[in-house]
């Protein structure tokens, strides 16, 4: 139940990113659901590999390179999905991924409070 709710809220957060920032475009809520799934899949599969491979750069930049990795995951999802989810350049991917991350953190904290284990 929590996973399904998080997926739906992540899709809504992606739509929120499109309203807050014009560099990211999503055609519909269905497209946002697919995009949220692909972003989540990339974050689970590809992101850990990239974090390990770029560990020296991440340490050298005091962790700021992780923002670049998040932007790359966001941009890669847009390039896979084509016209239903578009990101206009790397700067747009960076800003969009930052907004999406903040909204995701808010979703996690809200769901954590909602699904407290007793």
């Amino acid at each position: 139940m929590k996973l399904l709710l998080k997926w739906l809220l992540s899709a809504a957060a992606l739509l929120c990113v499109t309203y807050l920032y014009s560099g990211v475009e999503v055609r519909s809520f269905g497209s946002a659901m697919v995009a949220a799934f692909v972003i989540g899949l990339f974050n689970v599969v590809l992101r850990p590999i990239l974090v390990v491979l770029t560990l020296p750069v991440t340490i050298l930049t005091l962790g700021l390179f992780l923002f670049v990795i998040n932007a790359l995951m966001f941009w890669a999802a847009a390039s896979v999905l084509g016209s239903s989810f578009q990101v206009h350049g790397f700067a747009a991917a960076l800003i969009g991924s930052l907004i999406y991350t903040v909204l995701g953190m808010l979703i996690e904290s809200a769901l954590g409070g909602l699904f407290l284990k007793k």
Side-chain angles (χ1 to χ4, degrees):
M1 177 70 174
K2 182 179 177 182
L3 183 64
L4 181 63
L5 189 58
K6 183 179 177 190
W7 180 36
L8 290 172
L9 289 174
S10 294
L14 198 55
L15 283 176
C16 208
V17 170
T18 63
Y19 291 122
L20 293 173
Y21 183 62
S22 63
V24 178
E25 294 179 15
V26 178
R27 301 265 182 226
S28 65
F29 186 72
S31 299
M33 287 180 61
V34 172
F37 177 76
V38 171
I39 290 170
L41 187 66
F42 282 179
N43 282 335
V44 167
V45 176
L46 294 178
R47 189 174 188 277
I49 296 168
L50 287 175
V51 167
V52 169
L53 289 175
T54 61
L55 192 59
V57 177
T58 303
I59 291 171
L60 192 63
T61 62
L62 302 174
L64 292 176
F65 195 73
L66 293 175
F67 290 124
V68 173
I69 293 174
N70 285 343
L72 288 174
M73 295 296 99
F74 203 74
W75 202 12
S79 66
V80 166
L81 293 175
S83 65
S84 63
F85 174 51
Q86 294 181 345
V87 176
H88 302 290
F90 181 75
L94 185 62
I95 294 169
S97 69
L98 287 173
I99 296 170
Y100 187 66
T101 300
V102 168
L103 292 173
M105 289 169 52
L106 291 173
I107 289 169
E108 278 295 319
S109 69
L111 287 180
L114 186 63
F115 290 102
L116 277 178
K117 295 185 178 173
K118 297 177 183 179

